[in-house]
Amino acid sequence: MSEAMQPANFIEGIIMEDLETGKHKQIVVRFPPEPNGYLHIGHPKAICLNFGLAEKFGGRCHLRFDDTDPEKESIEYVEAIKRDVKWLGFDWGEHLYFASDYFEQLYEYAIELIKKGLAYVDDLSAEEIREYRGTLTEPGRESPYRNRSVEENLDLFQRMRAGEFPDGSKVLRAKIDMASPNMNMRDPVLYRIKRATHYRTGDEWCIYPMYDFTHPISDALEGITHSICTLEFEDHRPLYDWVLENVSVPCRPQQIEFARLTFSYTITSKRRLLRLIEEGYVDGWDDPRMPTLAGARRRGFTPEAIRDLCDRVGVAKKNSVVDIAMLEHCVREDLNRRAPRAMAVLRPLKVVIENYPEGQVEELEAINNPEDPSMGTRKIPFSREIFIEQEDFMEDPPKGYRRLAPGREVRLRYGYVIKCEEVIKDDEGNVVELRCTYDPNTLGGVTPDGRKVRGIIHWVSAAHAVPAEVRLYDRLFTIENPGEVEDFWNYVNPESLVVLKDCKLEPSLAEVEPGDFFQFERQGYFCVDIVDSKPGSLVFNRTVALRDTWAKIQKRQEKKG
RNA sequence: UGGGGGAUCUGCUAAUGGUAGGCGAGGUGACUCUGGAUCACCGGGUCCAGGUUCGAAUCCUGGUCCCCCAGCCA
């Protein structure tokens, strides 16, 4: 750490001070997910923050599963979360932990609390406890069981563990203050009886510790120095500190809260996402439209882009909504730098170049990535019959349209200038084919007579084209705040997925592997679907479209009328 | 309404008593064999009202608005 180092956010400020004052020699932080679901696009903020802090300040970051509710958790989620964290590019090394590994110690700490007269077994029902808790404005009342003797509490708690009492019949509560203005301090429940098989401890336990008791102790046991969590735990902090003060733990971690990451046009509520799946709006947790990391990965969002985004949004305590365009920008920026270019015609229109010799094939040289010359070049076959994009031809083009139209010229990318001589239509008047001529002197981007050809379009040789399915993905919702409306399903973007089955790819794309990504020139970034793509029946997903200035101009013209 | 937090361009975020800056979005232009990319430029902000100070986004006082908390979830 250099002296010139500036804290990037208030948490770094705290850490730098703790390091400078010698409060800590080394920092230890943790990412503590509950394995009860998939990680979503908001989680990387916490992951990058914690692992990033460890990297930056030479400390370490633990991955700890906060698995104290056996009814919701499973090993599948553990594996999914590990995969996602790794995918993002972070390594917890040896430091993989489970709160469930601390159950025995947690139990001993509970005994300690009881012995100190700071915890008691309560026979009130869940409903009674709620009633006794009071409200935001009225103090709670003390349970009639609150003043049991230490001996009786010890006996009862041991028998809770031994399974002598039915589920829900008793709990262990901290004895703090039923009149506290902080609801969390009104004798919070520490342990509940729950006969559920835990995915790791099986049926060894029938009592399970609560978060507020488990978390501070787990942190202390692991030597966590800074326990970073989200804003909603702010008023749990007094309880976090209370536990650490009253139990003989080896150290005293500090809880620090920050604002979670949320995006416009996105929901992350598990309940709501599940509904989208169950009602068929999307195809599952890894549907490329889903805000899960599994979905983002399948969509083609890169870990580099997501990490870059986390750097850019910063860390603060203000609840905020990041414009999803920021994520899209980061994805484009990363892929622009790294994605090989290719030509792919999504909605093909056949073009016959009448003055080009039948049977002749030329190999034209194309640049793999103008941003990175080291990626080299490739050859693309050109022949008499090609496909171009339907939208690159208009019979009656508006002002400003640079592409093909009857009698007009356009340049084929890396190829010749062609001119549209004739439009062939079917019985219904649809354009089905174009007859063109080419100018043999225009190869290599030149026009010997100096005439300007503004339009450049992509194309694929018909005889050499590789067929593929292309799935055009777009934002899942049409409104900025789908998380805030009741009937969010009414705002699912009907065009969030458009499937194109008759796409034509340049032949170099025949041998792609799942997960490979490309820029289809003039269109966007696409990746080979990791689930459905097979050799011979390729499936590409559009990760994000290229910025489209022409579309913007058109939209503006439409608005003007 | 008790308690805990938060308010800086349209969005995110910096400036910790000393020139309100960056990124994204939007707009304009240059350039270009991707209407891409790149580059340049433009507009635009300290929640309000007082106070302290040579000087306030920052400190003080009083308001306003927003978020979180009444699980045997985390």
Side-chain angles (χ1 to χ4, degrees), chain A residues 44-45 47-48 51-52 55 85-91 302-313 327 330:
Chain A
K45 182 173 179 179
I47 300 170
C48 293
F51 282 94
E55 254 170 50
V85 174
K86 264 187 215 161
W87 175 72
L88 274 176
F90 296 106
D91 182 10
T302 59
E304 289 83 354
I306 293 173
R307 292 173 67 159
D308 180 34
L309 176 99
C310 290
D311 281 346
R312 293 189 197 215
V313 299
L327 208 209
C330 292

Side-chain angles (χ1 to χ4, degrees), chain A residues 392-412:
Chain A
D392 285 339
F393 169 81
M394 282 186 96
E395 215 179 350
D396 185 22
K399 191 164 173 276
Y401 189 79
R402 294 185 195 164
R403 287 109 93 164
L404 249 202
R408 292 225 252 185
E409 285 189 321
V410 77
R411 174 173 291 284
L412 297 175

